[in-house]
Amino acid sequence: MNKVYALVDCNNFYVSCERVFNPKLAHVPVMVLSNNDGCVVARSNEVKALGVKMGEPVFKVEGLINKHNIQVFSSNYTLYADMSKRVMDTLKKFSPDIEIYSIDEAFLSLAGLGLNDYSNYGHNIRETVKKWTGIPVSVGIAGTKVLTKSANEIAKKYNGVVDLINCSDKQIDSYLDLLDVSDVWGVGHQYSKLLRSNNINTAKDLKYADTKWVRKKMTVMGERCVFELRGISCFELDKYPEPKKGICSSKSFGMPVESKRDLEEAISSYVSRAAEKLRSQNSYANILIVYITTNRFKKYDPQYSNSAYIRLREPTSSTIDLTRSALSSLNKIYKSGYKYKKAGVLLEGIQTNKQIQLNLFSSYDRKKKKQDNLLMKTIDMINKRWGRDCVKLAAQGIKQTWNMKRSRLSKKYTTNWNELLEICV
Amino acid sequence: MTEIYKAKTDKKFKLPLYEYPVSAGFPSPAEDYVDKKLDLNEYIIKHPAATFFVRVKGNSMQDSGISDGDLIVVDRAIEQRDNSIVVAFLDGEFTIKRVKTKKGELYLMPENSDYEPIKVNKEMDFQVWGVVTYAIKEIK
């Protein structure tokens, strides 16, 4: 059977979350900053049009903010994590086979659903997610995952849904020619330089590149990307290469897993792997997602799948902290009596924070870690008593930066009874 | 020769009703209906992904049972109909009103004689945010 995948991606996700609870922001420039960095982590289309780049330090764009009255928010990861779950739960209604790729992207398998008009289904998905959650999404539909990513990039710029299944090869090529090679899923920054220096500038160029050369320079994964651009499916829904945003670690089990103990062990090992990747790129995560699911193909077995989102107290790359959070999440969603087929963890809200003193948080030196833990406990106790950031690292910034003067955190509208939307009637 | 029997209908047996939707032919053995706890979430929330809670301030809807300080359950998945009470966004502000169409014109109706209906013009920035399904009030 031919494969059909849809990549559903939220448009400017963090900004869109803010707009749901404050519709006044709908057509004005909006920007979201990372909590500690003071860097731009999300931009509305109006802000993108002003030339503001992703990750730009906020002091550099202060002029633009004032001139264009850009509305600025601090990252409200608690809200974004909850809204993400709502979007994903809505998407699950459109296909039993879904792969949550990042906080705002998911792949759906549309094969075997008896559909003949994929574009129409894509529009249905788009309208339903917008109605139910308020989040606008773009949908790219194609026979391979890499192509759906390309279709999705184009969908963002046009009417929101692009279906390559019903396109001619010529039309697909003309779409691929519009895409920069660095936007091809699996390519990324490191390889795009190499490709450009070899005159491969667009996704179309990459599609027609010599696969032997690509295999040599970009490993077999790169070669598979080329095959996928050509319509040959290599990546299944539950196997995926290093995601561009977010770090994922998961596995389908050979034999079904039933006990909580076994799941805990599996999850712990995934956390450890993911945390290593995080540290190797000098990054920290703000959100941890744990998910477990039974085998949907075993129709006669009871079905259960669930995911838990945790907003981490602090950006962290510590295996110990992450494992603790992951296991407590697992505790909340685990149900006995089910044969689990797959489990995984996803690290999101990734930031590279130059302000945190790395050696204080690194877990490589055991002796230091013990001291660190004690120090952390003391700091935590003081902050709990006297208020957040009462005691903090000097590196976090004593000087009154622009960021601290005007940083705005919206309310936790969906997770805190004291912070609900208040409506005057 | 095959024997054909008539059904015995003189005796009746009470059978448990499964609380959970059952897909054709195979009930879920994991659900134990006898130990089931009553979950208010199940009662109130039909579409969890699309359900939000908001707090009400003010009394323009008091005749409908929505009072100042109530916790309102809003479902964005439900299609609003004429006379639905909705959370709406009108010209930069959230409000909760009953929607009513009269002679092709849309009105936002309060439920309090001290307040006037609002006519929604095409120039106004208006959208329905969700349909109000429950109002939860504390009885003191």
Side-chain angles (χ1 to χ4, degrees):
Chain A
M1 183 166 55
N2 278 335
K3 304 212 165 111
V4 182
Y5 295 114
L7 174 60
V8 182
D9 173 304
C10 303
N11 302 343
N12 309 324
F13 183 58
Y14 295 170
V15 166
S16 295
C17 287
E18 300 290 349
R19 282 176 166 166
V20 172
F21 301 94
N22 192 347
K24 259 193 282 204
L25 301 171
H27 304 292
V28 305
V30 180
M31 170 191 284
V32 178
L33 307 182
S34 67
N35 274 333
N36 305 334
D37 271 359
C39 290
V40 179
V41 296
R43 307 154 292 162
S44 70
N45 289 342
E46 298 81 6
V47 171
K48 285 180 184 170
L50 292 171
V52 176
K53 302 227 178 342
M54 182 65 92
E56 215 161 347
V58 86
F59 69 84
K60 275 195 172 173
V61 293
E62 226 184 291
L64 280 175
I65 291 170
N66 292 323
K67 183 172 177 195
H68 298 275
N69 201 23
I70 300 178
Q71 300 302 302
V72 181
F73 291 90
S74 300
S75 304
N76 187 344
Y77 287 118
T78 312
L79 180 67
Y80 308 153
D82 182 72
M83 292 301 281
S84 173
K85 180 159 206 300
R86 289 166 182 271
V87 169
M88 299 308 170
D89 285 347
T90 306
L91 291 179
K92 283 175 190 165
K93 307 224 180 282
F94 288 93
S95 170
D97 296 308
I98 177 172
E99 175 193 309
I100 297 172
Y101 179 64
S102 72
I103 198 173
D104 65 351
E105 289 167 284
F107 287 100
L108 276 65
S109 171
L110 300 186
L113 295 179
L115 298 169
N116 38 26
D117 188 345
Y118 294 114
S119 177
N120 190 38
Y121 202 62
H123 280 289
N124 208 351
I125 291 175
R126 205 166 114 86
E127 280 152 26
T128 306
V129 174
K130 183 72 163 72
K131 182 158 164 54
W132 286 32
T133 67
I135 303 288
V137 302
S138 301
V139 183
I141 300 167
T144 72
K145 287 169 93 177
V146 172
L147 277 177
T148 60
K149 181 77 170 163
S150 306
N152 189 290
E153 292 285 325
I154 294 155
K156 272 205 188 356
K157 300 188 174 87
Y158 299 109
N159 73 340
V161 178
V162 168
D163 168 21
L164 296 184
I165 303 273
N166 290 311
C167 281
S168 65
D169 274 343
K170 199 171 169 192
Q171 195 160 8
I172 294 177
D173 279 357
S174 65
Y175 276 139
L176 293 179
D177 211 19
L178 296 171
L179 277 185
D180 192 277
V181 75
S182 62
D183 285 332
V184 174
W185 191 56
V187 172
H189 188 67
Q190 28 163 191
Y191 287 123
S192 54
K193 277 188 186 163
L194 168 72
L195 292 170
R196 278 196 205 106
S197 64
N198 283 277
N199 221 15
I200 298 172
N201 296 300
T202 68
K204 182 182 169 191
D205 293 338
L206 184 58
K207 175 179 173 180
Y208 291 106
D210 174 26
T211 51
K212 287 202 177 64
W213 180 85
V214 170
R215 189 183 179 122
K216 194 168 138 195
K217 297 286 180 184
M218 287 175 63
T219 80
V220 65
M221 292 307 245
E223 191 190 19
R224 285 180 188 156
C225 285
V226 177
F227 284 134
E228 288 235 332
L229 281 171
R230 294 179 187 181
I232 301 161
S233 173
C234 303
F235 300 125
E236 301 266 318
L237 210 58
D238 61 356
K239 290 184 214 128
Y240 31 93
E242 191 112 351
K244 224 161 101 181
K245 339 171 221 172
I247 290 179
C248 183
S249 182
S250 71
K251 197 176 108 180
S252 284
F253 304 122
M255 298 285 292
V257 170
E258 285 191 73
S259 79
K260 187 165 165 210
R261 186 69 192 275
D262 289 342
L263 273 184
E264 279 176 349
E265 270 179 30
I267 295 276
S268 302
S269 68
Y270 304 156
V271 169
S272 166
R273 221 188 298 156
E276 265 168 38
K277 282 188 212 167
L278 198 55
R279 287 193 298 271
S280 73
Q281 52 184 64
N282 284 324
S283 302
Y284 301 82
N286 279 286
I287 297 178
L288 171 68
I289 301 166
V290 175
Y291 57 93
I292 53 179
T293 178
T294 52
N295 190 343
R296 287 188 203 280
F297 295 110
K298 295 254 167 95
K299 283 185 279 215
Y300 295 109
D301 283 348
Q303 296 293 325
Y304 174 68
S305 72
N306 208 343
S307 54
Y309 288 61
I310 275 198
R311 193 277 209 240
L312 300 162
R313 236 168 4 108
E314 260 152 5
T316 182
S317 60
S318 150
T319 303
I320 295 173
D321 291 343
L322 290 169
T323 307
R324 203 182 302 135
S325 300
L327 294 183
S328 95
S329 295
L330 179 63
N331 204 33
K332 290 194 186 104
I333 59 178
Y334 174 79
K335 279 192 179 173
S336 65
Y338 292 94
K339 297 196 179 105
Y340 293 98
K341 174 69 178 163
K342 183 174 171 180
V345 304
L346 197 54
L347 298 177
E348 276 293 339
I350 309 254
Q351 61 178 81
T352 43
N353 193 331
K354 294 174 189 79
Q355 289 174 324
I356 291 182
Q357 284 165 358
L358 288 175
N359 49 6
L360 190 60
F361 290 98
S362 124
S363 53
Y364 290 104
D365 186 338
R366 233 183 265 170
K367 190 170 167 192
K368 195 129 204 274
K369 182 67 182 176
K370 223 175 161 185
Q371 290 173 331
D372 294 348
N373 275 340
L374 195 56
L375 177 61
M376 278 312 297
K377 270 200 186 134
T378 313
I379 291 177
D380 283 348
M381 255 165 52
I382 295 175
N383 284 339
K384 200 168 180 188
R385 174 105 205 264
W386 299 107
R388 202 174 175 183
D389 279 349
C390 171
V391 175
K392 61 188 179 189
L393 299 173
Q396 275 177 255
I398 299 170
K399 190 171 100 176
Q400 281 290 309
T401 62
W402 181 95
N403 188 38
M404 281 166 73
K405 268 187 237 164
R406 308 242 290 266
S407 87
R408 266 181 61 193
L409 193 62
S410 57
K411 300 225 164 121
K412 300 181 176 68
Y413 302 107
T414 61
T415 53
N416 188 320
W417 291 116
N418 296 321
E419 297 191 18
L420 300 181
L421 200 58
E422 263 185 11
I423 299 181
C424 296
V425 300
Chain B
M1 173 146 104
T2 349
E3 309 249 349
I4 299 175
Y5 296 87
K6 189 178 166 187
K8 270 183 106 168
T9 52
D10 49 336
K11 237 177 168 178
K12 291 200 201 298
F13 290 97
K14 267 195 174 162
L15 289 172
L17 178 69
Y18 275 89
E19 300 280 0
Y20 288 87
V22 169
S23 48
F26 200 78
S28 173
E31 307 304 342
D32 187 352
Y33 76 96
V34 174
D35 283 341
K36 183 188 166 178
K37 292 194 175 104
L38 292 177
D39 184 351
L40 206 55
N41 285 320
E42 243 179 71
Y43 188 85
I44 289 179
I45 302 174
K46 300 295 175 243
H47 307 102
T51 301
F52 297 84
F53 296 111
V54 304
R55 193 65 77 177
V56 169
K57 267 194 145 70
N59 53 16
S60 73
M61 293 299 285
Q62 64 187 23
D63 295 347
S64 72
I66 295 175
S67 321
D68 179 64
D70 282 357
L71 178 68
I72 300 299
V73 184
V74 188
D75 191 331
R76 288 181 65 113
I78 296 181
E79 214 50 66
Q80 93 252 21
R81 289 187 285 204
D82 199 40
N83 276 325
S84 292
I85 295 181
V86 303
V87 170
F89 197 74
L90 180 69
D91 279 344
E93 296 288 326
F94 274 114
T95 186
I96 296 179
K97 294 285 178 289
R98 199 183 283 282
V99 287
K100 209 166 175 66
T101 307
K102 264 190 247 181
K103 294 181 186 164
E105 301 282 1
L106 183 66
Y107 291 87
L108 297 180
M109 311 294 290
E111 289 272 333
N112 181 330
S113 46
D114 292 340
Y115 291 82
E116 290 293 313
I118 303 167
K119 183 172 169 202
V120 181
N121 297 319
K122 286 179 183 54
E123 303 86 56
M124 291 172 156
D125 181 20
F126 171 78
Q127 59 168 144
V128 171
W129 198 85
V131 175
V132 172
T133 50
Y134 289 90
I136 299 171
K137 45 199 348 95
E138 193 181 338
I139 306 294
K140 293 193 185 135

